[in-house]
Amino acid sequence: MTTKELKQMANRLRMDVVETIHHVEDGHPGPCMSIAEIITVLYFSEMNIRPEEPRWPLRDRCILSKGHACPIQYAAMARKGYFDMDELKKLRKLDGILQGHPDMNKTPGIDSVSGSLGNGVGIGLGIALGCRMQGIDNFVYVIIGDGEQQEGVVWEAAMAAAKHKVGNLIVLADCNNNQSGGKVTELSSLYPASEKWSSFQWHVQEIDGHDVEAIKNAIANAKAVTDRPSYIECRTIKGKNIPYMENNNAWHKRVPTKEEVEIARKYLGGAV
Amino acid sequence: MKTKSTREAAMRAIIELAGQDERIVIVSPDSLLASRAVPFLERFPDRLIEVGIAEQNAVLVAAGLATTGMKPVVISYAGFLTMRACEQIRTFVAYPGLNVKFIGLNGGMLGGEREGVTHQFYEDVGILRSMPGVSVITPADAGQAYKATKAMFMREEPCYMRLGSGREPEVFPDDTPFEFGKIRVVKHYGDDVAIFASGFIMNRAIEALELLKAEGINGLIADVSTVKPIDSETVTEILKRTNCAVAVEDHNIYGGMSSAVSEISSLYHPCRVIRLGLNDIYPRSGHADELLDAYGLSVQSIVDGAKKAMSK
């Protein structure tokens, strides 16, 4: 995909999320919007995956540690062909395969349970070690939020990952400075986060998390570092590209009305 | 009574299994020495993954490893595993049904004895029993721990095995079989009363049975070495014969093996089941035998419990 196509796809996925959450009347739209470009670059540019063979052992892995943003991952996976687009309409419903938070057994292509915050980096470390021990040449991507880095187990995993020199582990942090209860900077003292990861002996980069070229370049840089895990701090905007959602934490979990869906469609460039 | 380390026995089994299956790895939250894993490390230096004192991360790493087809076992103190890393076991291993094994050390008062309450764990079985998808094994001595370890690795599912301090009384002859999910009647003098026992207090239960026999009460001892899934058929069969029982374990009286036996009784054969364990209080530091005596698990307590069960 070209850069232009990736940008369009990110907005298309945003629109999928707005329509899905409107349709099923439940979900977290704001946190999806800030990772639209990250998810798009991973699924449509970077990851070596086979949607027709979801458990292909040599595949790259993607752990969405901030699992509440799964609607946008599901949208990307549907568009990649893991399952039918109609499944999105059954998100969070008893007869659907898409759980409220990712489930590796119910949804083909999901690599781990996630959603209980803070746990993705440790899972990713285990996968990275398991693949390396079996001589599998792949990469494990973990998408974490900034708020979830308040969980102590993130740092347990960060410490151990550096010790084990897992060059195949790449963490992308969606740093939108918002969490359920308010601003990350007001609720706790995470920032400067990249300095913390740096002191934990990770390879660290800071980028604009909505710039698909920057994400691609950062991943290329991370892949070139083989003796350390990588942390890519992606500066993002919660609710990005939908003005009424941008930086408005009321949209952490909220259902858009029919009118709001149409407004979103207008701003997302009629991509859908 | 002669003692033999359950920790060494389990590790001997793991090393033998690891020699046959290179997917078996140990994830250690600084439990190398406590789990007696130095010989494993010497033989398989790349297959002991040390993560430091971080049980939650150890469980997550094991979960991640299992998704790639590896067969990890996480070994740590029973409470640090089942309480500190409780959610990681539940959500990231049990829920997706990943093939991860857990070995909890210092199970019970006896396990932690002089260390005190921070290192004694009498809630582990109850915690894990309440979690769908986790099997719970409580061997009674080193020989059983060795066989139970091998049986546990035969199963491709989450399993927890409870071990002790490394100074457990040897109660069974070496050729005693272990069958996952089955209750074994260890001694059967008669059907006056049943003693259900699990774990490292089996020696006391056996002693109590002999004392009862000397008083003319002929009972039986059933070894409940798999607490979940519990062999409810055998529990029911035994209760139908004896019409009363005492259930003994080094665990809080809530949630463990004795609760499981009572649940089965209430459903299939209601009768008096006296539960003997730690009586919902925190004990203290002390020598193992003195502790058990002081907190309701003396041989005499078991004898008295059996008589109480029999009284109408």
Side-chain angles (χ1 to χ4, degrees), chain A residues 134-150:
Chain A
Q134 295 172 79
I136 297 170
D137 184 17
N138 66 350
F139 289 92
V140 181
Y141 300 94
V142 182
I143 303 171
I144 65 174
D146 48 1
E148 79 165 302
Q149 296 180 46
Q150 292 157 0

Side-chain angles (χ1 to χ4, degrees), chain A:
Chain A
M1 266 189 189
T2 64
T3 299
K4 189 181 170 195
E5 286 169 334
L6 288 169
K7 285 180 179 174
Q8 285 176 340
M9 179 57 79
N11 277 344
R12 181 167 294 147
L13 298 181
R14 285 189 172 99
M15 197 61 223
D16 289 339
V17 169
V18 171
E19 290 182 325
T20 297
I21 293 177
H22 171 72
H23 183 83
V24 305
E25 300 179 317
D26 199 17
H28 299 76
C32 291
M33 304 309 159
S34 56
I35 60 166
E37 282 77 16
I38 296 169
I39 283 283
T40 301
V41 169
L42 287 179
Y43 278 92
F44 295 92
S45 172
E46 294 301 319
M47 286 206 297
N48 185 21
I49 47 180
R50 292 180 177 173
E52 71 286 0
E53 192 185 351
R55 295 211 171 168
W56 177 43
L58 308 186
R59 72 193 184 280
D60 288 338
R61 315 294 176 97
C62 176
I63 314 298
L64 181 61
S65 189
K66 46 167 285 180
H68 53 288
C70 58
I72 198 152
Q73 184 184 24
Y74 295 157
M77 292 169 72
R79 290 195 177 274
K80 281 295 283 187
Y82 281 96
F83 42 81
D84 200 273
M85 286 294 288
D86 281 347
E87 278 298 332
L88 296 176
K89 293 176 182 163
K90 292 187 278 180
L91 170 69
R92 293 183 170 229
K93 296 202 183 285
L94 204 53
D95 60 345
I97 62 167
L98 304 178
Q99 297 296 290
H101 291 82
D103 178 314
M104 61 182 286
N105 291 328
K106 294 189 182 71
T107 309
I110 291 292
D111 292 317
S112 168
V113 168
S114 69
S116 157
L117 295 177
N119 295 293
V121 183
I123 298 267
L125 169 59
I127 296 173
L129 286 167
C131 290
R132 187 171 75 183
M133 291 172 104
Q134 295 172 79
I136 297 170
D137 184 17
N138 66 350
F139 289 92
V140 181
Y141 300 94
V142 182
I143 303 171
I144 65 174
D146 48 1
E148 79 165 302
Q149 296 180 46
Q150 292 157 0
E151 290 281 5
V153 71
V154 172
W155 304 101
E156 292 183 8
M159 208 183 300
K163 183 239 177 185
H164 287 285
K165 302 184 190 301
V166 277
N168 55 342
L169 177 62
I170 298 173
V171 169
L172 295 128
D174 170 27
C175 292
N176 60 31
N177 195 31
N178 278 284
Q179 59 189 99
S180 174
K183 297 289 172 197
V184 174
T185 40
E186 288 168 12
L187 270 76
S188 188
S189 304
L190 172 68
Y191 291 105
S194 52
E195 287 177 24
K196 294 181 175 66
W197 290 88
S198 202
S199 74
F200 275 71
Q201 307 304 311
W202 283 53
H203 176 258
V204 171
Q205 302 172 77
E206 289 184 35
I207 60 166
D208 173 352
H210 297 303
D211 179 341
V212 293
E213 278 298 313
I215 298 168
K216 285 173 68 173
N217 290 336
I219 289 174
N221 294 338
K223 284 180 173 177
V225 177
T226 56
D227 62 346
R228 274 184 295 166
S230 269
Y231 173 81
I232 303 173
E233 182 159 307
C234 305
R235 285 184 297 268
T236 56
I237 294 169
K238 197 163 179 171
K240 173 73 175 171
N241 281 4
I242 304 174
Y244 60 80
M245 273 193 207
E246 283 196 2
N247 264 324
N248 179 356
N249 220 21
W251 285 95
H252 178 75
K253 188 177 188 201
R254 181 166 156 183
V255 178
T257 63
K258 199 174 174 189
E259 293 70 32
E260 286 164 339
V261 171
E262 293 315 313
I263 295 169
R265 196 184 309 282
K266 193 178 105 192
Y267 281 102
L268 293 172
V272 175

